[in-house]
Amino acid sequence: MRILHTSDWHIGRTFHGSSTMDALAEVLDALTAQVREHAVDVVIVAGDVFDSATPAGAAYTLLSDALVSLHDAGARVVVTSGNHDSAARLGFQARLLRDGIHVLTDPLAIGDPVTIDDEHGPVRFYGIPYLEPAIVRQHWNDVEMRTQAQTLAHAMDLVRAGMTENPGRSIAIAHCFAAGVDATMGLEREVRQGGLDVVPLAVFDGPDYVALGHIHGRQRVSERVRYSGAPLHYSFGEQSKPRGSWLVDLDADGLADVRWLELPVPRRLVTLTGTIDEILSAENVAAHADDWVCAVYTDALAQTEPMRRLRESYPYCAMVQHRPDVAEETVERSYADRLRGAVTDTERIEAFLEHVRSGHGPTERERELIREVLDDRVRADALI
């Protein structure tokens, strides 16, 4: 059996205020083409299908089109819900879907597999929807569920019980933050930084393959436990991470092979760093005019309307940051250090400007304005 593992579609998410629907539709069309090209039997979507618990109508349309296209390409589809999804909204039409499209959102059905046969016999697919401990502990009052680790451990116990009742090869699908994940690989924005949400790798012992979602960069946690990441770049922090899915082959004995299939990137993301003039150089504009741009300009002083200037050359400039180049010893000086020795009002103002501008004091024109304002104040005080 050949399985395509994908996740974190986030249908409806915007990128710095711009819709990603058309770009995602393009990528999902490419995913469907891969299903045909590689004769994929089953497509797994491991959670965060939508970006919101209350998706707009267009998001439902895109999802329906994608699921039907994957099915028409010859694949069965198994979908689980993630932390961004409303399990009720995602799962409400599960019984109405055509044969071969399975939407698994019910925590009480974790131990009941979707069974799909190949020439070697049955393969059991166990879908674990995203489980928020405070919400699902009502279903299992005799089990302690304060953390994701405890909750997923119980869910996997249910999976292993199902495996005992239904012998054969098995696949588990979950949406969580597993121990061993590289934190630079595109963590989902709501993942907490403490240890409560980290699920030990040993929790996933048992199935032949575990398809995970929740982080946006591909990750090989172990040979049989992997994240596929998101099909689109949803932040500049993800720009260097490849987009794609895992192609998983099962033989008669279980996991046989896993390889990566690249997906197209509709519009590249790039971070340009330098002075405004360097960023706006002809060479940079020629290379990146059609890219999503994050501009980090290093001029000593903040520029006037930098976004407007940049968008004249980069129509898809989405973010501007001012990060002036300063000497390390200058940055480390405290405000108190700068004020020490300042006697006049002019010196105090200059010390303040140096502090808020990371070491850069007033320009000559600003010094003139400071002197004029202080002189006006002196004259006004003299008239009182």
Side-chain angles (χ1 to χ4, degrees), residues 2 8 31 77 84 101 104 161 167 172 188 196 204 210 212 220 248 265-266 272 315 321 334 341 356 361:
R2 177 159 283 177
D8 294 271
L31 189 77
V77 186
H84 278 249
I101 300 177
L104 309 179
E188 181 39 273
L196 293 181
F204 300 107
V210 180
L212 295 180
R220 176 185 174 277
V248 181
V265 176
L272 302 178
Q321 298 176 353
S334 68
V356 298

Side-chain angles (χ1 to χ4, degrees), residues 109-130:
I110 289 171
D112 301 326
V114 170
T115 301
I116 301 174
D117 294 314
D118 66 5
E119 66 270 25
H120 303 297
V123 178
R124 320 288 185 183
F125 291 80
Y126 295 88
I128 304 174
Y130 179 77

